[in-house]
Amino acid sequence: MGAGNGVRERDGVAGESGSPAARVARAARRWGTPPELMFLVAGIAVVAVTVTPILVWWLTNPPDQRMVDLEVYRDGGRAILRGAPLYEVLTQPPQLLPFTYPPFASLLAVPFTVISWKAAQWLWMALLYAALAVVVWYSFRDLIKRSGRWAPVVAGALIGATAWLMPVFDQARFGQVGVLLMALCLADCLPERTRWPRGVLVGLAVAIKLVPGVFLIYFWITGRRDAAANAVLTAGAATLGAFAVLPRDSADFWFGALLEGGDRTGAVNGTTNQAINGMIARIYLPDPLGSLVWLALVAVMAYFGFRLARRATLLGDDLAAGTGLAGGAGLAGGAGLAAGASGRAVDANSLRLAGIAIVGLLSVLLSPVGWIHHLVWIIPVLGALVGDGRDTPRFRIAALVWLWFLFPLPWWGAKLISLQQGLFTKIPGKIVQDAFGLAAVFLVVLLGRWLVARVATGKADHQDASHPPAGVGTLAP
């Protein structure tokens, strides 16, 4: 289907060869032999070893500090069941947190109210890490595929490594929904083709939480106009359905709670707010100067950020069209040509992933509040940088980014400021306090300019000398 700006529409629905029974049989043959089963069990063991300490830590900490956002969702569901005003409900002391999501989200929370609090916590953790596995697959698909029979172990290691990133770590701490929403957006935006009308999952994510609405802009500016329409229709249908079931609460949200901003979401100048608004608020500029500076910076960031996302995505589309991802490599006239086509396919996926990751980072930077746990979009950033793991400079940069977000740097900055040693600690403390937000701005530029330029000029190395041809049972060359 045609789309504007000469960009080919990519909203098709893919089929898959073979009956379901045949696919199950193929999977059984693949994982049914002892060596393959050993690798599968090893991958599961890696996940268990790396994730269990997080589960133990957050599921055994003081009850009033445990998964407080999940408690918000459950209290919203309880309010629906007993007919209480949804946006007047507060969680138990000492948190006293209000419900801040659209009414549709409260309907989805109802099932968590009919099970015990302990069961709800375990179920939420299971959903969180299942979603993380989906995100890891989409973000590191080329690296995982290249690892051959080691794929389960590599995937397990990636799940474990990303689970300890501060944004994901905080998702488990608070019982947040961000990883699940990111999984919906990646599944809708990244694949060459989808089994559902593209845009439906983004629309569902928008109905649950408004922040993924940035992907409506992404769909539109990259020529995926049918996907944009599908997303709007899905979000609209879910919202109207919630209006039909909860008319009073829907009116309260859209014409009241939504406009309250920081009064409901928390202190804008808090350390955990790594959005541009938070970084400006911590400078304590007088009003209206602070608001004007924020609006100006948001406008600049949005303009250049979406341009970079569009550029990366369209170049990825062009590379994908040139390789014929549905089987172009198989038509190559030799091993060298096939390897070149494979490399271009990897680059195409990396650039599309980079475009999506940029938009994900913008969803945090442009929002009035962008908490540290919202920066789970660092995972697709890492995936875009790593690619299939052959390009050593990209891999090294990804490792540095992973290390940067592995530690609570903003809180170290706040601690440095609290030493009260004058400008000697205040200025560096302020910079470190904004460490994640500033890094997000840098990564938008890194992906949109450096990575795109590296791929466009052919510097992305798919025959890196540091990776000699693989032998049996090693990473495929």
Side-chain angles (χ1 to χ4, degrees):
M1 185 178 295
N5 302 318
V7 180
R8 193 169 55 189
E9 184 69 62
R10 298 185 179 274
D11 299 326
V13 179
E16 184 169 336
S17 61
S19 66
R23 292 197 295 271
V24 171
R26 285 197 296 271
R29 286 196 298 270
R30 179 177 182 184
W31 300 111
T33 60
E36 279 71 22
L37 280 174
M38 181 181 69
F39 283 109
L40 181 60
V41 171
I44 295 172
V46 170
V47 174
V49 168
T50 52
V51 169
T52 297
I54 302 175
L55 293 175
V56 172
W57 180 265
W58 292 128
L59 292 177
T60 59
N61 67 329
D64 63 347
Q65 300 292 321
R66 187 185 309 162
M67 303 184 77
V68 294
D69 286 315
L70 177 58
E71 186 181 5
V72 170
Y73 310 149
R74 293 181 84 231
D75 281 0
R78 288 196 189 99
I80 297 303
L81 293 179
R82 69 173 187 266
L86 179 59
Y87 296 98
E88 294 179 11
V89 171
L90 298 176
T91 60
Q92 294 296 313
Q95 301 297 338
L96 297 175
L97 298 174
F99 192 86
T100 60
Y101 302 86
F104 179 72
S106 69
L107 296 175
L108 299 182
V110 169
F112 289 91
T113 68
V114 298
I115 57 179
S116 68
W117 174 227
K118 184 175 182 179
Q121 293 174 67
W122 279 102
L123 176 58
W124 193 262
M125 285 294 195
L127 292 173
L128 169 65
Y129 289 109
L132 180 60
V134 172
V135 169
V136 164
W137 165 249
Y138 280 114
S139 299
F140 298 94
R141 181 179 60 189
D142 293 317
L143 179 62
I144 294 171
K145 283 184 174 181
R146 179 178 162 241
S147 57
R149 62 168 56 185
W150 286 88
V153 179
V154 171
L158 290 168
I159 292 170
T162 54
W164 283 91
L165 292 168
M166 279 307 303
V168 184
F169 192 71
D170 277 357
Q171 287 273 322
R173 173 189 179 185
F174 296 119
Q176 258 287 336
V177 73
V179 177
L180 284 79
L181 298 181
M182 179 171 57
L184 291 175
C185 293
L186 282 173
D188 216 9
C189 296
L190 184 60
E192 175 75 5
R193 295 185 182 278
T194 60
R195 298 178 182 177
W196 52 87
R198 192 186 301 275
V200 167
L201 298 186
V202 166
L204 181 62
V206 173
I208 296 171
K209 191 173 183 178
L210 299 180
V211 173
V214 293
F215 284 96
L216 301 178
I217 302 173
Y218 167 82
F219 281 146
W220 192 262
I221 64 176
T222 58
R224 293 150 167 81
R225 306 294 169 82
D226 284 359
N230 291 336
V232 170
L233 289 174
T234 302
T239 301
L240 290 176
F243 244 113
V245 177
L246 305 169
R248 183 185 64 183
D249 291 325
S250 295
D252 287 344
F253 176 77
W254 293 105
F255 305 111
L258 179 62
L259 306 177
E260 294 177 14
D263 292 339
R264 295 186 66 86
T265 56
V268 172
N269 63 350
T271 298
T272 191
N273 186 10
Q274 294 292 303
I276 293 174
N277 192 31
M279 291 187 277
I280 296 300
R282 285 189 288 274
I283 301 175
Y284 298 104
L285 296 175
D287 280 332
L289 179 60
S291 297
L292 292 175
V293 171
W294 171 58
L295 291 173
L297 290 178
V298 163
V300 171
M301 190 74 233
Y303 176 76
F304 287 104
F306 281 114
R307 280 178 61 92
L308 292 175
R310 180 179 183 274
R311 180 186 179 211
T313 301
L314 295 187
L315 180 57
D317 287 347
D318 289 343
L319 285 174
T323 59
L325 294 182
L331 301 176
L337 289 177
S342 176
R344 289 194 300 274
V346 170
D347 288 338
N349 190 64
S350 293
L351 290 179
R352 286 170 166 168
L353 186 60
I356 295 166
I358 289 171
V359 175
L361 293 176
L362 291 177
S363 74
V364 182
L365 291 169
L366 304 181
S367 297
V369 289
W371 307 134
I372 289 173
H373 60 257
H374 293 163
L375 282 165
V376 289
W377 287 99
I378 293 306
I379 299 175
V381 169
L382 294 172
L385 288 171
V386 168
D388 64 359
R390 301 174 200 255
D391 191 341
T392 302
R394 286 170 56 180
F395 195 93
R396 288 171 178 166
I397 292 173
L400 291 174
V401 173
W402 178 76
L403 282 172
W404 187 268
F405 283 90
L406 190 63
F407 301 101
L409 298 182
W411 296 109
W412 293 358
K415 180 69 173 179
L416 190 59
I417 295 170
S418 70
L419 297 178
Q420 297 182 347
Q421 297 297 317
L423 295 179
F424 181 75
T425 57
K426 186 173 183 180
I427 293 178
K430 287 285 187 184
I431 295 172
V432 177
Q433 193 179 25
D434 297 338
F436 287 176
L438 293 174
V441 174
F442 170 77
L443 290 171
V444 167
V445 178
L446 181 76
L447 295 179
R449 296 192 64 85
W450 180 81
L451 181 61
V452 168
R454 187 167 180 82
V455 172
T457 57
K459 292 182 179 178
D461 191 355
H462 298 287
Q463 300 291 336
D464 199 319
S466 66
H467 297 283
V472 176
T474 65
L475 290 178

